[in-house]
Amino acid sequence: MKKIEELKQIVKSKGLKYTKQREVIFETILKYNNHLSAEDIYNILNKEYPNMNIGIATIYRALAFLEEVNLISSIAINKDGKKFESNDKKHHDHLVCIKCNKIIEFVDEDIEQKQKQIANNFGFKLLDHTMYLYGICENCQ
Ligand SMILES: [Zn+2]
Ligand SMILES: [Zn+2]
């Protein structure tokens, strides 16, 4: 997988030891293609790789590393939780439910265009943006 190769290169360029745990954690985020918390990843890995004995602390460390090297992004869901997604996904924005922590992804061309226009008005060359709209989902109201 191309992304796993990228991880290998990054680890090598930093002179770090390549660990299978880190690879499996990154692979899980790529494979599930949605927003996962450290606990979600912990539960998935313990089901799929019961022999690897990957602890929650290892997962937190790996997630911090993957985010630092820009392979994944996190979003703060509440005061003690984050959810992570791959940076490889197609651009999208987010609606976040503060009650059940569900994340809905959307793309709206009008919003995309408007942002470019605003950046333009300020003489900015827009490179990227991240949008999270916080609220309460239909099910939780
Ligand atoms: Zn909800
Ligand atoms: Zn997303």
Side-chain angles (χ1 to χ4, degrees):
M1 196 195 268
K2 206 173 107 259
K3 282 276 133 189
I4 297 295
E5 277 313 308
E6 204 177 318
L7 172 64
K8 283 184 179 160
Q9 287 307 319
I10 290 168
V11 170
K12 202 173 145 197
S13 74
K14 289 184 171 286
L16 298 170
K17 201 172 98 178
Y18 191 81
T19 67
K20 188 70 186 168
Q21 278 102 323
R22 218 189 262 133
E23 176 181 308
V24 163
I25 290 164
F26 186 38
E27 211 172 60
T28 301
I29 295 173
L30 291 168
K31 187 169 76 181
Y32 279 79
N33 198 36
N34 69 30
H35 302 251
L36 299 174
S37 67
E39 289 74 24
D40 295 333
I41 295 168
Y42 179 80
N43 292 331
I44 292 166
L45 292 182
N46 277 288
K47 207 178 284 168
E48 295 186 4
Y49 303 92
N51 299 324
M52 280 186 85
N53 282 315
I54 301 181
I56 193 81
T58 303
I59 293 173
Y60 277 115
R61 269 198 307 274
L63 291 170
F65 174 82
L66 292 169
E67 188 169 16
E68 190 189 306
V69 301
N70 219 13
L71 289 172
I72 63 171
S73 308
S74 70
I75 170 204
I77 290 295
N78 51 40
K79 62 181 183 343
D80 37 34
K82 279 182 176 179
K83 282 195 178 190
F84 299 83
E85 70 176 329
S86 157
N87 283 348
D88 201 33
K89 290 165 77 173
K90 211 163 155 283
H91 175 73
H92 58 268
D93 294 315
H94 304 90
L95 289 156
V96 183
C97 175
I98 61 161
K99 291 217 164 150
C100 69
N101 299 341
K102 177 166 69 193
I103 297 178
I104 298 167
E105 299 183 340
F106 71 92
V107 178
D108 183 296
E109 263 324 304
D110 291 341
I111 291 176
E112 300 296 319
Q113 288 312 320
K114 188 74 191 165
Q115 290 183 114
K116 279 181 200 152
Q117 197 187 315
I118 291 166
N120 218 13
N121 291 346
F122 287 89
F124 257 64
K125 184 169 177 264
L126 192 61
L127 299 174
D128 197 9
H129 73 265
T130 312
M131 181 187 279
Y132 294 103
L133 305 175
Y134 293 87
I136 300 165
C137 78
E138 223 172 354
N139 285 338
C140 293
Q141 284 171 37

